[in-house]
Amino acid sequence: EPDVTIVSGLKDMVVFEGDDVTFRCQVSHEAARDVEWKLQDVALQNNEMNEISVEKGKVHTLTLRKVTEQDIGTVVFRVGSHTSTA
């Protein structure tokens, strides 16, 4: 299985409280396994507040819904041994 790398990393975002924000990270291969999103070192799950999806097989997205001050912090995308932060 080829080593999946990050082609296009996360970008820092500035958002107003109550808005949604989407982070995108493009990887080198489709169907990447061992993918993880974190906010402030807490692993995120797909739920009503966090939408985690994959577009076109290679673009992994995280949408944080109705952000609050408590959501301020570092977002981390990890695939295998590669990470990107914003």
Side-chain angles (χ1 to χ4, degrees):
E1 186 170 302
D3 186 31
V4 178
T5 60
I6 296 172
V7 176
S8 173
L10 300 176
K11 294 180 176 39
D12 291 340
M13 305 292 270
V14 176
V15 190
F16 290 103
E17 194 166 17
D19 286 352
D20 296 350
V21 60
T22 299
F23 294 92
R24 287 183 175 79
C25 200
Q26 183 175 347
V27 298
S28 58
H29 295 77
E30 289 188 18
R33 291 189 199 83
D34 196 21
V35 170
E36 182 178 44
W37 287 97
K38 286 185 176 181
L39 174 61
Q40 303 166 359
D41 271 341
V42 176
L44 299 177
Q45 304 298 322
N46 200 19
N47 58 34
E48 66 277 354
M49 296 307 292
N50 312 313
E51 183 183 324
I52 297 170
S53 62
V54 181
E55 299 171 355
K56 299 183 184 126
K58 294 183 182 180
V59 180
H60 292 257
T61 64
L62 166 67
T63 300
L64 302 176
R65 304 253 180 243
K66 297 182 176 59
V67 296
T68 66
E69 257 185 50
Q70 286 74 40
D71 295 319
I72 293 171
T74 302
V75 172
V76 177
F77 174 82
R78 182 186 61 77
V79 58
S81 61
H82 305 281
T83 60
S84 179
T85 59

